[in-house]
Amino acid sequence: MTTTIEITRITILEIIRMRIFQFFAVAILVTPIIALVFSNIFIFDIGKVRIDVFAAATRLLITSYILFVAVTLMGRDIGQKSCYQFLMPPVSRHAYLTGRFAGLTFCMLMLMVVTMIAGELLIALTLAETTEIYRHGITQGQGFTLAILSFVQHISLLAMVIMICVWATGLAEMLVFSIAAIFLSWTLPPIIHALQNQEVMQHVPPLISSLTNSIGYIFPQLNGGDIAVALAHGVNINSTDILLHFTEHFSYALMMFVLALIIFSRRDL
Amino acid sequence: MNQAWHIQHLTKRYQRDTVLDGIDLTLKASQITGLLGVNGAGKSSLFKSMLGLISPDSGTATLPHPSSIGYMPDLTHLPDSLTALQITRHALRIKGASALLAESTLEEIGLKSTAWNRRIGSYSKGMRQRTALAFALAGEPSWLLLDEPMSGLDAVGRKQLLKLLKLRHQQGAGIFVCSHIVPDLVRLCDRILILSNGKLKRDMAIQEHSMDEISFVEDQLEKLSHP
């Protein structure tokens, strides 16, 4: 346990001293300004556009964090063998990978706190300068909800990318497979969701429909867009949905991470 | 005194290439053991197998009981964004020692105090090498496995390192070191092994650490590596 905590600490220290991480944090803080500028193009849907732009931009930045910080860190660890320095008794492979994952998650949480602050500032400004008709159901506290729900989604994405990294060899492979997996996780679920529509299902053979349902069950909704859209439209997300969202993503993250541990403990380094 | 390290019938293949071919060896903590071999002889593979970084195809190579080990790989990749002081403190905490010993560890390996708080990314090769050494030596591990520790060090640094390793050995650490610099190994070690094409070709006791022994070991290395 002590070794895991120490690897977590070193990972956090390493990441927060990276310029790219500092850039991501500043970029998230600047995002509300971009949202404000962008919303001026529109006449009526000001509140909706602001939240949509903010959610999309922050999601892109957090995904970039996963790709350019997490993948490059794992690429250096495994591809350039920098893990050799640490993987000595008393540090086990499990402790090492758990520490890395915990450190990366903690730094992502820091970015989410920045997202939360920036989101709440944007909402406060929108509420102060617009009348009810332009707000589209936006209320104070939605920036907090957006950040938390998006964070949960990105934990599963991070776990998936870690699993890919411990399986792949070399940074190029890690990046290509991670980008492919992220792309699929963004595009597949909406297609499956559309296919699961009752009207569509009536025209599909039973085998295909059960196959579609199975893929729908095993592939989580890793795209944060649904939540951003719901929030932008002023839709209240009920507690059952939030609970299911948490359960789905934590289960998926756990499953991916256990798989990563199994692969990492068996592979040649 | 520490336990001995038993390596039995160790074989490792990469596709059709056998990099370690049935190595049988016992390393005693009471001796400083050196490993010689030309490039591609299997030295690093032997170290990695002993540390469990690669799985052997057959045989065993690990310590029978958990022990604290300091390892310095042939290529050091320390985090560029951290400083030598930070990384040494972490190494100490990982090994259950006090982080307050970081300064004395860095002094011991001869890294200038003005560099302690600079990012490793700005270091020269020799300074990186010294930092990696500090990481390996931190916490007084019971075994030290050093792969090319003299690489990148100047003459003074190499001399200091040899002195330091002898001191650590007197304090009870088992040492297994691999290097291409024959005179340094002969001056340091009590026993030298020559590895060629994955096979252990020679196991020699070093008694006088003299120029004659250096010449003898160099001749043996040349003879066994290019039959």
Side-chain angles (χ1 to χ4, degrees):
Chain A
M1 193 64 188
T2 318
T3 53
T4 307
I5 292 168
E6 206 45 52
I7 298 293
T8 307
R9 283 175 63 168
I10 203 165
T11 307
I12 294 168
L13 196 64
E14 210 179 326
I15 294 171
I16 60 173
R17 286 176 65 103
M18 283 182 187
R19 277 192 203 145
I20 185 81
F21 178 77
Q22 293 159 6
F23 165 79
F24 285 138
V26 173
I28 290 173
L29 278 175
V30 172
T31 308
I33 299 168
I34 297 165
L36 288 174
V37 172
F38 202 74
S39 66
N40 283 334
I41 302 168
F42 299 86
I43 299 167
F44 294 114
D45 304 331
I46 292 173
K48 195 172 83 175
V49 170
R50 282 181 186 177
I51 290 287
D52 264 348
V53 171
F54 177 72
T58 51
R59 200 170 72 237
L60 196 67
L61 286 167
I62 306 292
T63 306
S64 303
Y65 161 80
I66 293 173
L67 275 178
F68 298 111
V69 176
V71 173
T72 49
L73 190 75
M74 295 307 292
R76 208 195 58 212
D77 273 5
I78 297 167
Q80 293 183 12
K81 320 286 182 197
S82 68
C83 60
Y84 283 5
Q85 209 85 46
F86 298 92
L87 279 173
M88 291 305 108
V91 182
S92 68
R93 290 193 185 198
H94 283 185
Y96 184 73
L97 196 63
T98 309
R100 278 302 201 209
F101 183 56
L104 283 162
T105 306
F106 185 83
C107 290
M108 196 164 75
L109 184 64
M110 287 161 85
L111 290 182
M112 286 302 169
V113 172
V114 178
T115 306
M116 211 180 284
I117 295 164
E120 285 301 318
L121 281 173
L122 179 69
I123 290 168
L125 197 70
T126 307
L127 293 177
E129 66 158 19
T130 58
T131 53
E132 186 66 40
I133 194 167
Y134 298 110
R135 290 177 189 162
H136 292 270
I138 288 172
T139 53
Q140 207 71 58
Q142 281 179 344
F144 176 82
T145 320
L146 178 73
I148 293 285
L149 296 181
S150 181
F151 172 64
V152 173
Q153 283 181 327
H154 283 92
I155 286 183
S156 40
L157 200 63
L158 178 65
M160 183 175 76
V161 165
I162 297 270
M163 194 278 290
I164 290 168
C165 288
V166 299
W167 167 78
T169 48
L171 184 60
E173 243 183 55
M174 289 174 192
L175 272 173
V176 168
F177 291 133
S178 297
I179 290 169
I182 290 171
F183 177 75
L184 284 176
S185 72
W186 280 9
T187 51
L188 261 187
I191 296 168
I192 291 166
H193 187 69
L195 285 173
Q196 283 173 321
N197 184 295
Q198 276 193 334
E199 281 179 26
V200 179
M201 280 293 182
Q202 281 171 359
H203 304 284
V204 170
L207 182 70
I208 301 294
S209 68
S210 55
L211 192 69
T212 309
N213 284 331
S214 309
I215 296 169
Y217 285 130
I218 59 168
F219 224 97
Q221 181 79 334
L222 294 177
N223 179 2
D226 52 338
I227 286 170
V229 170
L231 285 167
H233 289 270
V235 176
N236 279 326
I237 302 169
N238 66 47
S239 51
T240 315
D241 284 345
I242 291 173
L243 188 70
L244 280 172
H245 176 82
F246 272 62
T247 313
E248 181 187 16
H249 288 285
F250 280 130
S251 312
Y252 192 76
L254 188 69
M255 195 174 75
M256 283 292 136
F257 187 63
V258 168
L259 201 58
L261 283 178
I262 294 168
I263 297 169
F264 191 61
S265 62
R266 290 176 182 206
R267 69 168 287 175
D268 275 356
L269 290 169
Chain B
M1 187 51 79
N2 293 323
Q3 56 199 320
W5 202 321
H6 300 286
I7 296 152
Q8 293 169 321
H9 319 303
L10 191 73
T11 300
K12 177 69 185 173
R13 291 184 197 91
Y14 290 110
Q15 287 150 0
R16 287 182 183 178
D17 190 14
T18 305
V19 290
L20 294 174
D21 194 356
I23 306 277
D24 282 298
L25 176 68
T26 297
L27 298 173
K28 293 173 190 163
S30 58
Q31 291 175 319
I32 300 181
T33 309
L35 183 64
L36 274 173
V38 292
N39 293 333
K43 303 183 297 294
S44 294
S45 296
L46 176 60
F47 273 44
K48 287 178 206 169
S49 298
M50 289 171 70
L51 295 162
L53 294 170
I54 56 173
S55 339
D57 291 302
S58 63
T60 54
T62 44
L63 274 172
H65 300 292
S67 184
S68 167
I69 299 169
Y71 172 53
M72 188 184 152
D74 53 346
L75 293 169
T76 52
H77 288 286
L78 293 162
D80 280 351
S81 57
L82 300 186
T83 66
L85 197 59
Q86 285 170 329
I87 200 92
T88 312
R89 280 182 185 148
H90 281 291
L92 285 161
R93 280 196 289 256
I94 283 171
K95 290 170 187 171
S98 167
L100 296 171
L101 296 169
E103 283 90 348
S104 60
T105 309
L106 288 171
E107 257 172 31
E108 210 179 6
I109 55 105
L111 188 72
K112 280 182 195 165
S113 57
T114 49
W116 292 358
N117 287 306
R118 257 170 56 197
R119 284 173 183 245
I120 293 170
S122 69
Y123 284 6
S124 67
K125 189 176 186 288
M127 288 161 85
R128 281 171 187 263
Q129 194 77 351
R130 283 172 199 265
T131 313
L133 267 168
F135 197 94
L137 296 173
E140 301 192 352
S142 50
W143 271 96
L144 281 169
L145 268 74
L146 310 170
D147 197 348
E148 302 287 351
M150 288 87 166
S151 164
L153 293 183
D154 52 37
V156 178
R158 275 164 44 204
K159 199 173 172 186
Q160 283 175 341
L161 177 63
L162 297 184
K163 203 172 154 188
L164 176 61
L165 292 179
K166 279 180 184 166
L167 180 71
R168 284 297 176 100
H169 180 63
Q170 282 164 8
Q171 289 166 347
I175 297 177
F176 189 31
V177 57
C178 139
S179 176
H180 287 297
I181 307 167
V182 179
D184 284 350
L185 272 196
V186 174
R187 282 187 195 107
L188 174 71
C189 301
D190 307 304
R191 179 189 180 196
I192 287 184
L193 311 167
I194 295 181
L195 197 67
S196 177
N197 295 322
K199 286 182 181 166
L200 202 57
K201 293 283 178 73
R202 198 68 93 233
D203 187 343
M204 298 172 285
I206 303 294
Q207 279 151 0
E208 292 167 15
H209 310 280
S210 62
M211 288 303 288
D212 287 346
E213 274 184 323
I214 292 171
S215 302
F216 176 74
V217 173
E218 280 173 340
D219 290 345
Q220 288 292 306
L221 178 66
E222 193 179 359
K223 193 173 136 193
L224 294 166
S225 302
H226 304 287

PDB file of all heavy atoms in Angstrom, chain A residues 59-87:
ATOM      1  N   ARG A  59     -14.564  18.724 -22.858  1.00  0.00           N
ATOM      2  CA  ARG A  59     -14.485  17.278 -23.125  1.00  0.00           C
ATOM      3  C   ARG A  59     -13.300  16.979 -24.047  1.00  0.00           C
ATOM      4  O   ARG A  59     -12.576  16.013 -23.850  1.00  0.00           O
ATOM      5  CB  ARG A  59     -15.795  16.815 -23.752  1.00  0.00           C
ATOM      6  CG  ARG A  59     -16.012  15.332 -23.619  1.00  0.00           C
ATOM      7  CD  ARG A  59     -17.394  14.949 -24.023  1.00  0.00           C
ATOM      8  NE  ARG A  59     -17.602  15.046 -25.446  1.00  0.00           N
ATOM      9  CZ  ARG A  59     -18.541  15.794 -26.020  1.00  0.00           C
ATOM     10  NH1 ARG A  59     -19.334  16.518 -25.283  1.00  0.00           N
ATOM     11  NH2 ARG A  59     -18.692  15.812 -27.314  1.00  0.00           N
ATOM     12  N   LEU A  60     -13.125  17.829 -25.019  1.00  0.00           N
ATOM     13  CA  LEU A  60     -12.010  17.656 -25.954  1.00  0.00           C
ATOM     14  C   LEU A  60     -10.663  17.806 -25.221  1.00  0.00           C
ATOM     15  O   LEU A  60      -9.728  17.050 -25.461  1.00  0.00           O
ATOM     16  CB  LEU A  60     -12.122  18.721 -27.062  1.00  0.00           C
ATOM     17  CG  LEU A  60     -11.298  18.479 -28.316  1.00  0.00           C
ATOM     18  CD1 LEU A  60     -11.806  17.260 -29.065  1.00  0.00           C
ATOM     19  CD2 LEU A  60     -11.327  19.705 -29.215  1.00  0.00           C
ATOM     20  N   LEU A  61     -10.618  18.758 -24.306  1.00  0.00           N
ATOM     21  CA  LEU A  61      -9.370  18.979 -23.559  1.00  0.00           C
ATOM     22  C   LEU A  61      -9.065  17.813 -22.616  1.00  0.00           C
ATOM     23  O   LEU A  61      -7.912  17.399 -22.482  1.00  0.00           O
ATOM     24  CB  LEU A  61      -9.447  20.291 -22.775  1.00  0.00           C
ATOM     25  CG  LEU A  61      -9.311  21.566 -23.630  1.00  0.00           C
ATOM     26  CD1 LEU A  61      -9.718  22.791 -22.835  1.00  0.00           C
ATOM     27  CD2 LEU A  61      -7.883  21.719 -24.135  1.00  0.00           C
ATOM     28  N   ILE A  62     -10.104  17.290 -21.974  1.00  0.00           N
ATOM     29  CA  ILE A  62      -9.881  16.154 -21.054  1.00  0.00           C
ATOM     30  C   ILE A  62      -9.478  14.910 -21.851  1.00  0.00           C
ATOM     31  O   ILE A  62      -8.592  14.157 -21.433  1.00  0.00           O
ATOM     32  CB  ILE A  62     -11.139  15.850 -20.197  1.00  0.00           C
ATOM     33  CG1 ILE A  62     -11.643  17.096 -19.452  1.00  0.00           C
ATOM     34  CG2 ILE A  62     -10.893  14.693 -19.223  1.00  0.00           C
ATOM     35  CD1 ILE A  62     -10.771  17.627 -18.351  1.00  0.00           C
ATOM     36  N   THR A  63     -10.091  14.740 -23.006  1.00  0.00           N
ATOM     37  CA  THR A  63      -9.708  13.604 -23.855  1.00  0.00           C
ATOM     38  C   THR A  63      -8.262  13.791 -24.332  1.00  0.00           C
ATOM     39  O   THR A  63      -7.496  12.823 -24.385  1.00  0.00           O
ATOM     40  CB  THR A  63     -10.668  13.480 -25.058  1.00  0.00           C
ATOM     41  OG1 THR A  63     -11.994  13.426 -24.555  1.00  0.00           O
ATOM     42  CG2 THR A  63     -10.395  12.227 -25.871  1.00  0.00           C
ATOM     43  N   SER A  64      -7.893  15.030 -24.640  1.00  0.00           N
ATOM     44  CA  SER A  64      -6.502  15.310 -25.046  1.00  0.00           C
ATOM     45  C   SER A  64      -5.548  15.010 -23.892  1.00  0.00           C
ATOM     46  O   SER A  64      -4.439  14.522 -24.102  1.00  0.00           O
ATOM     47  CB  SER A  64      -6.336  16.772 -25.456  1.00  0.00           C
ATOM     48  OG  SER A  64      -7.229  17.071 -26.478  1.00  0.00           O
ATOM     49  N   TYR A  65      -5.986  15.310 -22.666  1.00  0.00           N
ATOM     50  CA  TYR A  65      -5.166  14.988 -21.485  1.00  0.00           C
ATOM     51  C   TYR A  65      -4.908  13.475 -21.453  1.00  0.00           C
ATOM     52  O   TYR A  65      -3.774  13.032 -21.239  1.00  0.00           O
ATOM     53  CB  TYR A  65      -5.892  15.451 -20.210  1.00  0.00           C
ATOM     54  CG  TYR A  65      -5.386  14.799 -18.947  1.00  0.00           C
ATOM     55  CD1 TYR A  65      -4.232  15.241 -18.326  1.00  0.00           C
ATOM     56  CD2 TYR A  65      -6.063  13.714 -18.381  1.00  0.00           C
ATOM     57  CE1 TYR A  65      -3.758  14.632 -17.173  1.00  0.00           C
ATOM     58  CE2 TYR A  65      -5.600  13.101 -17.233  1.00  0.00           C
ATOM     59  CZ  TYR A  65      -4.452  13.550 -16.626  1.00  0.00           C
ATOM     60  OH  TYR A  65      -3.984  12.935 -15.496  1.00  0.00           O
ATOM     61  N   ILE A  66      -5.967  12.709 -21.684  1.00  0.00           N
ATOM     62  CA  ILE A  66      -5.816  11.243 -21.655  1.00  0.00           C
ATOM     63  C   ILE A  66      -4.849  10.795 -22.750  1.00  0.00           C
ATOM     64  O   ILE A  66      -3.963   9.970 -22.519  1.00  0.00           O
ATOM     65  CB  ILE A  66      -7.197  10.553 -21.785  1.00  0.00           C
ATOM     66  CG1 ILE A  66      -8.031  10.837 -20.525  1.00  0.00           C
ATOM     67  CG2 ILE A  66      -7.052   9.052 -22.018  1.00  0.00           C
ATOM     68  CD1 ILE A  66      -9.455  10.355 -20.591  1.00  0.00           C
ATOM     69  N   LEU A  67      -5.009  11.372 -23.931  1.00  0.00           N
ATOM     70  CA  LEU A  67      -4.167  10.944 -25.055  1.00  0.00           C
ATOM     71  C   LEU A  67      -2.720  11.420 -24.921  1.00  0.00           C
ATOM     72  O   LEU A  67      -1.797  10.649 -25.134  1.00  0.00           O
ATOM     73  CB  LEU A  67      -4.736  11.491 -26.364  1.00  0.00           C
ATOM     74  CG  LEU A  67      -5.830  10.667 -27.027  1.00  0.00           C
ATOM     75  CD1 LEU A  67      -6.312  11.361 -28.276  1.00  0.00           C
ATOM     76  CD2 LEU A  67      -5.346   9.268 -27.368  1.00  0.00           C
ATOM     77  N   PHE A  68      -2.548  12.689 -24.565  1.00  0.00           N
ATOM     78  CA  PHE A  68      -1.198  13.247 -24.617  1.00  0.00           C
ATOM     79  C   PHE A  68      -0.446  13.199 -23.293  1.00  0.00           C
ATOM     80  O   PHE A  68       0.779  13.272 -23.287  1.00  0.00           O
ATOM     81  CB  PHE A  68      -1.239  14.676 -25.169  1.00  0.00           C
ATOM     82  CG  PHE A  68      -1.764  14.714 -26.569  1.00  0.00           C
ATOM     83  CD1 PHE A  68      -2.988  15.279 -26.856  1.00  0.00           C
ATOM     84  CD2 PHE A  68      -1.051  14.122 -27.602  1.00  0.00           C
ATOM     85  CE1 PHE A  68      -3.493  15.275 -28.150  1.00  0.00           C
ATOM     86  CE2 PHE A  68      -1.542  14.120 -28.894  1.00  0.00           C
ATOM     87  CZ  PHE A  68      -2.769  14.701 -29.171  1.00  0.00           C
ATOM     88  N   VAL A  69      -1.159  13.066 -22.200  1.00  0.00           N
ATOM     89  CA  VAL A  69      -0.446  12.936 -20.921  1.00  0.00           C
ATOM     90  C   VAL A  69      -0.400  11.462 -20.505  1.00  0.00           C
ATOM     91  O   VAL A  69       0.674  10.907 -20.291  1.00  0.00           O
ATOM     92  CB  VAL A  69      -1.077  13.816 -19.822  1.00  0.00           C
ATOM     93  CG1 VAL A  69      -0.387  13.592 -18.487  1.00  0.00           C
ATOM     94  CG2 VAL A  69      -0.985  15.291 -20.200  1.00  0.00           C
ATOM     95  N   ALA A  70      -1.586  10.837 -20.423  1.00  0.00           N
ATOM     96  CA  ALA A  70      -1.622   9.438 -19.957  1.00  0.00           C
ATOM     97  C   ALA A  70      -0.903   8.506 -20.922  1.00  0.00           C
ATOM     98  O   ALA A  70      -0.062   7.700 -20.503  1.00  0.00           O
ATOM     99  CB  ALA A  70      -3.066   8.999 -19.764  1.00  0.00           C
ATOM    100  N   VAL A  71      -1.194   8.641 -22.221  1.00  0.00           N
ATOM    101  CA  VAL A  71      -0.580   7.714 -23.185  1.00  0.00           C
ATOM    102  C   VAL A  71       0.931   7.949 -23.290  1.00  0.00           C
ATOM    103  O   VAL A  71       1.702   6.993 -23.320  1.00  0.00           O
ATOM    104  CB  VAL A  71      -1.271   7.810 -24.574  1.00  0.00           C
ATOM    105  CG1 VAL A  71      -0.534   6.974 -25.611  1.00  0.00           C
ATOM    106  CG2 VAL A  71      -2.717   7.350 -24.484  1.00  0.00           C
ATOM    107  N   THR A  72       1.354   9.216 -23.287  1.00  0.00           N
ATOM    108  CA  THR A  72       2.804   9.442 -23.393  1.00  0.00           C
ATOM    109  C   THR A  72       3.535   8.973 -22.125  1.00  0.00           C
ATOM    110  O   THR A  72       4.651   8.474 -22.202  1.00  0.00           O
ATOM    111  CB  THR A  72       3.161  10.917 -23.688  1.00  0.00           C
ATOM    112  OG1 THR A  72       2.459  11.736 -22.772  1.00  0.00           O
ATOM    113  CG2 THR A  72       2.804  11.318 -25.085  1.00  0.00           C
ATOM    114  N   LEU A  73       2.868   9.130 -20.979  1.00  0.00           N
ATOM    115  CA  LEU A  73       3.475   8.658 -19.731  1.00  0.00           C
ATOM    116  C   LEU A  73       3.642   7.127 -19.765  1.00  0.00           C
ATOM    117  O   LEU A  73       4.715   6.595 -19.447  1.00  0.00           O
ATOM    118  CB  LEU A  73       2.601   9.066 -18.538  1.00  0.00           C
ATOM    119  CG  LEU A  73       3.207   8.870 -17.159  1.00  0.00           C
ATOM    120  CD1 LEU A  73       4.251   9.930 -16.878  1.00  0.00           C
ATOM    121  CD2 LEU A  73       2.130   8.937 -16.083  1.00  0.00           C
ATOM    122  N   MET A  74       2.577   6.446 -20.183  1.00  0.00           N
ATOM    123  CA  MET A  74       2.643   4.982 -20.266  1.00  0.00           C
ATOM    124  C   MET A  74       3.616   4.559 -21.376  1.00  0.00           C
ATOM    125  O   MET A  74       4.284   3.539 -21.254  1.00  0.00           O
ATOM    126  CB  MET A  74       1.246   4.394 -20.531  1.00  0.00           C
ATOM    127  CG  MET A  74       0.235   4.600 -19.430  1.00  0.00           C
ATOM    128  SD  MET A  74       0.780   4.057 -17.804  1.00  0.00           S
ATOM    129  CE  MET A  74       0.842   2.297 -18.027  1.00  0.00           C
ATOM    130  N   GLY A  75       3.663   5.361 -22.443  1.00  0.00           N
ATOM    131  CA  GLY A  75       4.575   5.069 -23.547  1.00  0.00           C
ATOM    132  C   GLY A  75       6.020   5.140 -23.089  1.00  0.00           C
ATOM    133  O   GLY A  75       6.850   4.309 -23.450  1.00  0.00           O
ATOM    134  N   ARG A  76       6.316   6.133 -22.251  1.00  0.00           N
ATOM    135  CA  ARG A  76       7.667   6.247 -21.722  1.00  0.00           C
ATOM    136  C   ARG A  76       7.969   5.107 -20.743  1.00  0.00           C
ATOM    137  O   ARG A  76       9.034   4.532 -20.753  1.00  0.00           O
ATOM    138  CB  ARG A  76       7.818   7.600 -21.020  1.00  0.00           C
ATOM    139  CG  ARG A  76       9.229   8.120 -21.019  1.00  0.00           C
ATOM    140  CD  ARG A  76       9.398   9.228 -20.027  1.00  0.00           C
ATOM    141  NE  ARG A  76       9.041   8.755 -18.704  1.00  0.00           N
ATOM    142  CZ  ARG A  76       8.504   9.510 -17.749  1.00  0.00           C
ATOM    143  NH1 ARG A  76       8.266  10.770 -17.972  1.00  0.00           N
ATOM    144  NH2 ARG A  76       8.198   9.006 -16.572  1.00  0.00           N
ATOM    145  N   ASP A  77       6.971   4.784 -19.918  1.00  0.00           N
ATOM    146  CA  ASP A  77       7.135   3.708 -18.937  1.00  0.00           C
ATOM    147  C   ASP A  77       7.440   2.379 -19.608  1.00  0.00           C
ATOM    148  O   ASP A  77       8.365   1.680 -19.218  1.00  0.00           O
ATOM    149  CB  ASP A  77       5.833   3.535 -18.142  1.00  0.00           C
ATOM    150  CG  ASP A  77       5.780   4.451 -16.948  1.00  0.00           C
ATOM    151  OD1 ASP A  77       6.694   5.266 -16.807  1.00  0.00           O
ATOM    152  OD2 ASP A  77       4.822   4.348 -16.163  1.00  0.00           O
ATOM    153  N   ILE A  78       6.616   2.042 -20.600  1.00  0.00           N
ATOM    154  CA  ILE A  78       6.729   0.708 -21.206  1.00  0.00           C
ATOM    155  C   ILE A  78       7.609   0.736 -22.456  1.00  0.00           C
ATOM    156  O   ILE A  78       8.495  -0.099 -22.609  1.00  0.00           O
ATOM    157  CB  ILE A  78       5.323   0.138 -21.509  1.00  0.00           C
ATOM    158  CG1 ILE A  78       4.560  -0.027 -20.188  1.00  0.00           C
ATOM    159  CG2 ILE A  78       5.422  -1.196 -22.249  1.00  0.00           C
ATOM    160  CD1 ILE A  78       3.091  -0.284 -20.337  1.00  0.00           C
ATOM    161  N   GLY A  79       7.400   1.726 -23.326  1.00  0.00           N
ATOM    162  CA  GLY A  79       8.162   1.795 -24.573  1.00  0.00           C
ATOM    163  C   GLY A  79       9.625   2.111 -24.334  1.00  0.00           C
ATOM    164  O   GLY A  79      10.508   1.463 -24.887  1.00  0.00           O
ATOM    165  N   GLN A  80       9.887   3.120 -23.505  1.00  0.00           N
ATOM    166  CA  GLN A  80      11.279   3.516 -23.256  1.00  0.00           C
ATOM    167  C   GLN A  80      11.845   2.873 -21.987  1.00  0.00           C
ATOM    168  O   GLN A  80      12.939   3.214 -21.545  1.00  0.00           O
ATOM    169  CB  GLN A  80      11.376   5.033 -23.124  1.00  0.00           C
ATOM    170  CG  GLN A  80      11.076   5.759 -24.412  1.00  0.00           C
ATOM    171  CD  GLN A  80      11.259   7.262 -24.265  1.00  0.00           C
ATOM    172  OE1 GLN A  80      11.796   7.758 -23.296  1.00  0.00           O
ATOM    173  NE2 GLN A  80      10.790   7.996 -25.244  1.00  0.00           N
ATOM    174  N   LYS A  81      11.068   1.979 -21.396  1.00  0.00           N
ATOM    175  CA  LYS A  81      11.513   1.178 -20.241  1.00  0.00           C
ATOM    176  C   LYS A  81      11.816   1.999 -18.982  1.00  0.00           C
ATOM    177  O   LYS A  81      12.636   1.590 -18.159  1.00  0.00           O
ATOM    178  CB  LYS A  81      12.769   0.336 -20.572  1.00  0.00           C
ATOM    179  CG  LYS A  81      12.772  -0.301 -21.938  1.00  0.00           C
ATOM    180  CD  LYS A  81      11.835  -1.464 -22.011  1.00  0.00           C
ATOM    181  CE  LYS A  81      11.862  -2.154 -23.345  1.00  0.00           C
ATOM    182  NZ  LYS A  81      10.731  -3.018 -23.592  1.00  0.00           N
ATOM    183  N   SER A  82      11.206   3.142 -18.849  1.00  0.00           N
ATOM    184  CA  SER A  82      11.508   3.925 -17.637  1.00  0.00           C
ATOM    185  C   SER A  82      10.918   3.268 -16.384  1.00  0.00           C
ATOM    186  O   SER A  82      11.307   3.593 -15.273  1.00  0.00           O
ATOM    187  CB  SER A  82      11.026   5.364 -17.778  1.00  0.00           C
ATOM    188  OG  SER A  82       9.639   5.409 -17.810  1.00  0.00           O
ATOM    189  N   CYS A  83      10.008   2.326 -16.571  1.00  0.00           N
ATOM    190  CA  CYS A  83       9.438   1.621 -15.409  1.00  0.00           C
ATOM    191  C   CYS A  83      10.479   0.734 -14.726  1.00  0.00           C
ATOM    192  O   CYS A  83      10.321   0.368 -13.566  1.00  0.00           O
ATOM    193  CB  CYS A  83       8.223   0.803 -15.814  1.00  0.00           C
ATOM    194  SG  CYS A  83       8.581  -0.450 -17.031  1.00  0.00           S
ATOM    195  N   TYR A  84      11.566   0.411 -15.449  1.00  0.00           N
ATOM    196  CA  TYR A  84      12.619  -0.427 -14.849  1.00  0.00           C
ATOM    197  C   TYR A  84      13.135   0.182 -13.549  1.00  0.00           C
ATOM    198  O   TYR A  84      13.500  -0.515 -12.621  1.00  0.00           O
ATOM    199  CB  TYR A  84      13.814  -0.549 -15.800  1.00  0.00           C
ATOM    200  CG  TYR A  84      13.636  -1.500 -16.952  1.00  0.00           C
ATOM    201  CD1 TYR A  84      12.429  -2.139 -17.186  1.00  0.00           C
ATOM    202  CD2 TYR A  84      14.685  -1.754 -17.826  1.00  0.00           C
ATOM    203  CE1 TYR A  84      12.278  -2.995 -18.266  1.00  0.00           C
ATOM    204  CE2 TYR A  84      14.537  -2.618 -18.897  1.00  0.00           C
ATOM    205  CZ  TYR A  84      13.336  -3.225 -19.112  1.00  0.00           C
ATOM    206  OH  TYR A  84      13.195  -4.077 -20.168  1.00  0.00           O
ATOM    207  N   GLN A  85      13.205   1.516 -13.560  1.00  0.00           N
ATOM    208  CA  GLN A  85      13.752   2.217 -12.414  1.00  0.00           C
ATOM    209  C   GLN A  85      12.925   1.959 -11.142  1.00  0.00           C
ATOM    210  O   GLN A  85      13.448   1.947 -10.047  1.00  0.00           O
ATOM    211  CB  GLN A  85      13.743   3.721 -12.727  1.00  0.00           C
ATOM    212  CG  GLN A  85      14.808   4.503 -12.054  1.00  0.00           C
ATOM    213  CD  GLN A  85      16.118   4.487 -12.832  1.00  0.00           C
ATOM    214  OE1 GLN A  85      16.125   4.678 -14.037  1.00  0.00           O
ATOM    215  NE2 GLN A  85      17.202   4.247 -12.149  1.00  0.00           N
ATOM    216  N   PHE A  86      11.631   1.749 -11.342  1.00  0.00           N
ATOM    217  CA  PHE A  86      10.736   1.627 -10.189  1.00  0.00           C
ATOM    218  C   PHE A  86      10.348   0.183  -9.859  1.00  0.00           C
ATOM    219  O   PHE A  86      10.035  -0.125  -8.721  1.00  0.00           O
ATOM    220  CB  PHE A  86       9.431   2.404 -10.461  1.00  0.00           C
ATOM    221  CG  PHE A  86       9.640   3.872 -10.661  1.00  0.00           C
ATOM    222  CD1 PHE A  86       9.840   4.398 -11.922  1.00  0.00           C
ATOM    223  CD2 PHE A  86       9.669   4.738  -9.578  1.00  0.00           C
ATOM    224  CE1 PHE A  86      10.045   5.755 -12.122  1.00  0.00           C
ATOM    225  CE2 PHE A  86       9.874   6.096  -9.755  1.00  0.00           C
ATOM    226  CZ  PHE A  86      10.059   6.602 -11.023  1.00  0.00           C
ATOM    227  N   LEU A  87      10.333  -0.662 -10.889  1.00  0.00           N
ATOM    228  CA  LEU A  87       9.783  -2.016 -10.686  1.00  0.00           C
ATOM    229  C   LEU A  87      10.760  -2.978 -10.006  1.00  0.00           C
ATOM    230  O   LEU A  87      11.102  -4.016 -10.545  1.00  0.00           O
ATOM    231  CB  LEU A  87       9.338  -2.595 -12.029  1.00  0.00           C
ATOM    232  CG  LEU A  87       7.974  -2.127 -12.497  1.00  0.00           C
ATOM    233  CD1 LEU A  87       7.693  -2.614 -13.909  1.00  0.00           C
ATOM    234  CD2 LEU A  87       6.871  -2.604 -11.569  1.00  0.00           C
TER     235      LEU A  87
END
